[in-house]
Amino acid sequence: MQKKLVIGGVAAAVVVAGAGTWWAVDRSAEAQTTERGTCGGATWELSMEAEDGGVEVSAEIQSSGPGETWDVALLRGDASLLEGTRTTDDDGEIDVDAFTADDSADAIYTATFTPAEGEPCTAELGS
């Protein structure tokens, strides 16, 4: 009889733990917003996610090849979160991340990737 109670208790604990994990994963999925697009033969992705009392902003561009130099700017409204020159990796990608403690719901985030030769590629996300 005790064996059945122990097995039943363990099974119930597994079900509760599994439901808690599902809830946590589901909640985090709702907190992330992503936009994707293309420009000038490249594809981009811009996302933001509520994290630790602020917002993590991630921008990525996939170009035609490795070793390309791009100027990168990541903005929150008019405020710069990140600026600089980056070189595409072996897969032709550039990934940048920034964190801002201001998590205002009406913020607009902009990522601009400008190749050494060519037109800027701009992504926008937010209200």
Side-chain angles (χ1 to χ4, degrees):
M1 179 72 171
Q2 278 187 330
K3 229 181 195 181
K4 288 182 182 180
L5 288 176
V6 170
I7 292 171
V10 169
V14 169
V15 169
V16 169
T21 302
W22 170 82
W23 181 82
V25 168
D26 187 53
R27 296 278 300 165
S28 67
E30 292 176 356
Q32 184 171 359
T33 304
T34 303
E35 291 287 338
R36 293 175 182 86
T38 61
C39 64
T43 58
W44 57 263
E45 179 176 297
L46 179 60
S47 63
M48 62 184 218
E49 180 176 12
E51 185 175 296
D52 297 329
V55 176
E56 181 178 20
V57 183
S58 300
E60 174 185 311
I61 194 157
Q62 173 77 45
S63 71
S64 60
E68 297 175 350
T69 302
W70 295 67
D71 288 329
V72 179
L74 188 55
L75 305 173
R76 181 186 180 284
D78 293 332
S80 174
L81 298 176
L82 177 142
E83 286 186 62
T85 301
R86 302 289 191 275
T87 303
T88 55
D89 64 15
D90 291 340
D91 296 323
E93 286 184 350
I94 297 174
D95 295 307
V96 293
D97 300 307
F99 180 81
T100 178
D102 188 349
D103 61 355
S104 301
D106 61 347
I108 296 175
Y109 297 93
T110 306
T112 303
F113 294 92
T114 307
E117 294 183 25
E119 295 296 314
C121 186
T122 302
E124 190 173 283
L125 177 67
S127 303

